């Protein structure tokens, strides 16, 4: 039943026509979006299928319309770590298409994914003829670069408690379904994956989540997290309160001007990955 609820929430939030402006497809005008989708080939991916593979040629990109995927990258020790989540309205694989370089990450379907595959030559031609879309691609790249830089700052400056609070706020606001006064995060994440996202050890995440549960801030079950007190999480994460204007808007470990605090239970890969980049 819980899985069914998650699937329903995901489809309802990210179905065609419901993409927010923060998603690439949602940022385009209706005519530009329709034209772009028309040059792509519809494709469906079952859960577990690899859509893009790190190191392979980047001769096409994928426009996600429904479902969600996980973006992973290989560390120096061979371990594959989670570095981002993408949902309906997002684009994956665009960097390799534009730069004509091999894929920098692997993208795997973790839900029933519907998408449009656009070959590199067709996409480059489209961008040349559609300045609006080209500008949105540039803005997308800039946002992801700022996020990657903010991650590096967060790894060195903030405790696991602050970083975990921030990622839970991000997940709730970007991928959440409101259930009364609570918010259900509509993507399946293990505690190990949460640890990978914030550059920590799994045990530190477990201990911090235990504290959050005891304080009535979150409720967790197998691969499911429900945020009870979003305001408390924002405060712990040193984020502006809801309604406070933040300019420019940022997500996941936005750089803060607060003084650094002592890190506890933190972990940094020998060669840190670059988050949120395909």
């Amino acid at each position: 039943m819980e899985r069914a609820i998650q699937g329903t929430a995901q489809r309802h939030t990210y179905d065609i026509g419901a993409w927010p402006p923060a998603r690439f497809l949602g940022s385009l005008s209706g005519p530009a979006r329709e034209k772009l989708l028309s040059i792509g080939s519809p494709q469906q991916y079952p859960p577990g299928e690899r859509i893009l593979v790190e190191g392979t040629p980047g001769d096409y990109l994928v426009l996600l319309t429904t479902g969600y995927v996980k973006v992973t990258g290989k560390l120096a020790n061979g371990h594959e770590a989670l570095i981002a989540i993408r949902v309906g309205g997002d684009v994956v694989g665009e960097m390799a298409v534009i730069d004509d370089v091999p894929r920098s990450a692997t993208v795997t379907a973790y839900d029933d994914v519907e998408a449009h595959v656009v070959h590199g030559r067709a996409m480059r031609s489209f961008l040349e003829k559609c300045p609006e879309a080209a500008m949105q691609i540039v803005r997308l790249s800039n946002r992801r670069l700022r996020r990657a830089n903010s991650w590096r700052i967060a790894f060195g400056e903030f405790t696991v408690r602050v970083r975990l609070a921030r990622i839970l706020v991000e997940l709730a606001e970007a991928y959440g379904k409101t259930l009364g006064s609570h918010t259900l995060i509509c993507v399946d994440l293990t505690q190990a994956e949460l640890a990978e996202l914030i550059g920590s050890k799994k045990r530190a995440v477990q201990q911090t989540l235990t504290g959050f549960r005891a304080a009535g801030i979150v409720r967790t079950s197998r691969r499911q997290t429900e945020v009870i007190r979003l305001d408390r999480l924002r405060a712990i994460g040193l984020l502006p309160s809801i309604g406070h204007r933040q300019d420019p808007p940022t997500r996941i470990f936005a750089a803060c001007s607060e003084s650094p605090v002592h890190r506890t239970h933190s972990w940094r890969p020998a060669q840190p990955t670059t988050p949120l980049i395909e």
Side-chain angles (χ1 to χ4, degrees):
M1 177 60 72
E2 291 173 350
R3 176 63 181 169
I5 291 174
Q6 284 185 291
T8 300
Q10 184 71 36
R11 291 290 173 154
H12 176 77
T13 304
Y14 299 109
D15 202 356
I16 293 177
W19 301 314
R23 311 290 170 215
F24 175 64
L25 290 176
S27 71
L28 300 176
S29 64
R33 181 168 56 247
E34 291 176 9
K35 176 61 177 177
L36 177 56
L37 291 174
S38 73
I39 66 175
S41 302
Q43 182 69 44
Q44 295 182 335
Y45 301 95
E49 182 168 346
R50 292 194 166 192
I51 300 174
L52 305 175
V53 178
E54 183 176 355
T56 60
D59 53 357
Y60 64 91
L61 58 77
V62 180
L63 302 167
L64 305 175
T65 54
T66 63
Y68 75 97
V69 303
K70 294 183 180 180
V71 183
T72 56
K74 289 183 180 178
L75 300 178
N77 61 7
H79 175 68
E80 198 164 272
L82 177 66
I83 55 179
I85 297 169
R86 298 285 179 253
V87 299
D90 282 328
V91 56
V92 292
E94 78 287 349
M95 287 180 59
V97 164
I98 294 173
D99 291 345
D100 194 24
V101 294
R103 307 286 187 198
S104 61
T106 294
V107 177
T108 305
Y110 270 71
D111 194 4
D112 291 316
V113 172
E114 295 180 2
H116 285 249
V117 175
V118 182
H119 288 282
R121 180 176 298 179
M123 186 65 188
R124 289 188 289 269
S125 176
F126 172 76
L127 292 176
E128 290 176 358
K129 298 174 183 178
C130 183
E132 172 196 345
M135 179 57 69
Q136 293 302 334
I137 285 287
V138 171
R139 289 175 176 171
L140 175 67
S141 297
N142 286 343
R143 287 198 301 271
R144 292 181 179 177
L145 178 59
R146 284 196 297 269
R147 291 178 181 180
N149 290 338
S150 296
W151 271 78
R152 294 188 179 96
I153 293 172
F155 282 163
E157 292 193 352
F158 301 118
T159 65
V160 169
R161 188 168 185 263
V162 172
R163 302 201 307 266
L164 183 59
R166 288 190 172 202
I167 197 65
L168 291 176
V169 168
E170 165 68 11
L171 292 169
E173 293 183 345
Y175 315 118
K177 174 71 174 179
T178 301
L179 300 174
S181 61
H182 304 165
T183 302
L184 175 67
I185 295 175
C186 298
V187 291
D188 294 337
L189 289 174
T190 65
Q191 292 180 348
E193 288 172 330
L194 284 173
E196 290 166 357
L197 283 175
I198 67 171
S200 175
K201 292 183 178 180
K202 178 181 176 181
R203 180 173 178 79
V205 167
Q206 291 174 330
Q207 293 173 342
T208 306
L209 280 175
T210 297
F212 286 171
R213 286 194 298 268
I217 297 173
V218 302
R219 182 185 301 135
T220 63
S221 57
R222 180 175 173 79
R223 292 199 176 197
Q224 180 173 298
T225 302
E226 189 175 352
V227 176
I228 310 301
R229 292 290 306 277
L230 187 60
D231 57 335
R232 289 283 304 279
L233 277 181
R234 295 187 69 88
I236 293 169
L238 305 177
L239 295 169
S241 59
I242 296 175
H244 179 82
R245 185 175 183 272
Q246 186 181 19
D247 190 23
T250 56
R251 290 187 180 276
I252 300 186
F253 302 137
C256 291
S257 59
E258 288 85 353
S259 299
V261 295
H262 179 66
R263 294 165 58 219
T264 59
H265 305 297
S266 57
W267 166 83
R268 185 186 300 183
Q271 295 182 359
T273 56
T274 300
L276 307 167
I277 295 178
E278 289 85 35

